[in-house]
Amino acid sequence: MALAEPCRAELIAVGTEIVIGQIHNGHAREISQELAKHGMYVYYHSAVGDNEARIIETFSIASRRSNAVIATGGLGPTQDDLTKEALAKFLGRRLVLSQEALAEVESYFKQRGRPMPEQNRKQALVIEGGEWIPNPNGTAPGQYVFDNGVHYFLLPGPPLEMRPMLQNYVIPRLVDHFGGTRKLVSRILHFCGIGESDVDARIADLTCKDNPTVAPYAGEGEMVLRITASGPTEEACWELIRPVEDELRRRFAPFIYGVDDDSLASVVLRRLQETGSTLAVAESCTGGMLAEMITDVPGSSAAFVGGVVAYDNRVKASVVGVRAETLATHGAVSEPTARELAEGVREKLGATYGIGVTGIAGPGGGTPEKPVGLVYVGLAGPRGSRVYELRLRGSRAQIRIRSCKQALWRLWQELNGDSDVGRDKTGRGEKG
Amino acid sequence: MALAEPCRAELIAVGTEIVIGQIHNGHAREISQELAKHGMYVYYHSAVGDNEARIIETFSIASRRSNAVIATGGLGPTQDDLTKEALAKFLGRRLVLSQEALAEVESYFKQRGRPMPEQNRKQALVIEGGEWIPNPNGTAPGQYVFDNGVHYFLLPGPPLEMRPMLQNYVIPRLVDHFGGTRKLVSRILHFCGIGESDVDARIADLTCKDNPTVAPYAGEGEMVLRITASGPTEEACWELIRPVEDELRRRFAPFIYGVDDDSLASVVLRRLQETGSTLAVAESCTGGMLAEMITDVPGSSAAFVGGVVAYDNRVKASVVGVRAETLATHGAVSEPTARELAEGVREKLGATYGIGVTGIAGPGGGTPEKPVGLVYVGLAGPRGSRVYELRLRGSRAQIRIRSCKQALWRLWQELNGDSDVGRDKTGRGEKG
């Protein structure tokens, strides 16, 4: 068997509502993910409004650089629905009525006890030489045409219509043409406590390779490395990925907290459950965000007891038990307050671990001694207490998110018995 | 004055993580919306991976059809960050070190008490003849270049870095160039307590008009109507908008809680401050999200005292004071528990108003009697207590968000003395 050329896919979303920002182009991500699962790469996404000339131009560009083009939207019955018409014009082909497609559109209305409006007839037109794709969930059949080395698929915009047509028709057709030849597998490693540039400086020997590729990208308060391999089988891909993952773990062991769909909250919760431990949190500047990140994980109630949002100083004192003297002497944003928040919430809520967060998220409230971005994270547990001082930059939202991530990260280290690592000048730890 | 040509904008998102579907290209929608607010249209979105040749090709296509090109992503310090390099090559311009930009990148590290890694130096390179755009929230300065009739803007990918640079630099610059001919003014009305289809059915006479246009769109747990007018001056636009806004207020008065950048949390906080009142919340299923939404508003500490995340029943009892008998007889997800959560947190935290939320967010934990989506919102205040029963649909995340929005919405009604309105089948209210 001759080796097929690899799939170079391109996605086109058609609709003025997308380019003016009224709705969001969710199909791009979803279709890319589906194709990747089957070893096929998407190289371009584009979106264009309901304008025939611009849709034609977009198909023309795609035809020169891609061999699989999946367009979504613009297959409805109105004058604004132009995708099929534009592709037919671009390919110089006629639109012909398909009796079979017409019967499907008519049956859709019949099932609802309504006559088919005349304008829906145009949905049964098929590009000459192509095929129509059944749509069990709507009136707009899809289209498939192969022309000059390029496979074109047109699918309707509504997600509940598009999805089964992608699964049942487009993917099998593409796998038939391009699949079988190569699989694509990605492994994601999640890092915390180390900057993107620090990681990058130590992986130049890995990022320069072609297979597997290693690519870093930064999240908010953490970062991710993606290892992607292609090979004839999934197992062959994993054989390429494993040694690279092992090597990355050798270099960055203390900073890698999870893989694939893990989050800091999910790995912390898992470890708490494994060790039969529980957690309670007392938050000032993060105002509930830390508890929210934790309870966002389904099943979090197994290890998360609860929390106190101690915004007002009286709540810090009355509910969590921070001493009035501590607040008066050191202030709400201080190491002793963070410690007493952690210890107090641990005791009052009866948890194995307590976290206390207090700081200045801005935009107001900063002073020369205590600037915006100064945050203390207290951690109390069976082995005593620690407080970490953070100096964060950014907007109110960034400072809050990063404070939460740092708190979870410090607890994760504590749970792994290596809470001495990862302390740099931005977060010093002290024994309580 | 010669008439300027209209803005024809194009957005390019750079990043392999986008085209393989790992992350979602949220910038496209956001930037399109921002430009539209200022009367500028976006005609194309594209996304391309971290590959220099393909990025160059994408700039080349954009340069032939657009006069404003905004690219996001690929400005980091790593070898994979290629956007600036690609644009420089495409334009045939050199990259030169900007001492000013270098000082900014260095100061970013200095504030964190760390030396700047050598590789971050490349972030201070500027395309010859262009300008760098300050980034107060990260190490990646942006870039602006004008070449052969096209305005190019390069912005970093992380949303919290990109957003202020778009607002403070890109939009004013584009308005300067393209904004003179015709103004576009939008007025946003925020609705809660009524569905999109119910609103839509009663505004057909307004949505069919061209100027101003009236467009509804659904948010999570609330909805928005945007009125957009174009005219020779801003005042001319407002004269078109005002009668339409007045008419909408006549039709939907009880459901319109705010305008423009208002959020449910911000209007509630403002009203609390105006009346010298304070708020405390006790959350079970929303797990901190309600407190987080409130404290996301800068200055919220003036009226928000704090909250308790009462995830575990023992916390409901010991910290908030829900009676053991209530929990045993009615269960944690019940009207009496919601009431005692609201009353208890109000009393314990010494606030004017107390909110209690308890429910089943899913995906697990539902029963035939208490299905996923059943949520009780308790509201306690000087005039007594009420409990609202909600039956929500959707994912865990959606149920949590909608519960928070409903809680704020009920409090907003209470604060406006019209808490009898807006009760429909999904939320009945009862006097306590």
Side-chain angles (χ1 to χ4, degrees), chain A residues 24 44 188 295 393 396, chain B residues 22 24 44 57 111 295 396:
Chain A
H24 160 70
Y44 302 95
I188 292 170
T295 59
R393 249 175 56 152
R396 179 179 178 84
Chain B
Q22 202 156 29
H24 159 69
Y44 302 94
E57 185 224 349
Q111 284 190 23
T295 59
R396 179 180 177 86

Side-chain angles (χ1 to χ4, degrees), chain A residues 148-222:
Chain A
N148 202 17
V150 184
H151 302 267
Y152 297 90
F153 300 88
L154 310 186
L155 301 176
L160 297 175
E161 300 180 33
M162 184 282 287
R163 236 166 254 154
M165 297 165 78
L166 179 73
Q167 292 293 351
N168 301 331
Y169 187 99
V170 180
I171 298 284
R173 180 66 58 119
L174 286 175
V175 166
D176 233 35
H177 282 291
F178 299 109
T181 52
R182 280 191 99 65
K183 298 284 177 193
L184 198 69
V185 174
S186 276
R187 175 72 158 176
I188 292 170
L189 300 182
H190 293 267
F191 289 64
C192 196
I194 186 168
E196 188 187 4
S197 44
D198 293 329
V199 173
D200 202 57
R202 291 163 59 190
I203 56 170
D205 56 322
L206 301 173
T207 48
C208 64
K209 298 214 174 121
D210 272 352
N211 192 17
T213 60
V214 175
Y217 59 96
E220 205 52 71
E222 53 183 305

Side-chain angles (χ1 to χ4, degrees), chain A residues 47 52-53 98 116 137 152 177 189 223 237 247 270 272 299 356 411 426:
Chain A
E52 197 177 70
S98 156
M116 187 187 84
N137 299 318
Y152 297 90
H177 282 291
L189 300 182
M223 70 154 289
C237 295
E247 180 55 34
R270 198 190 305 146
L272 287 168
L411 175 56
T426 63

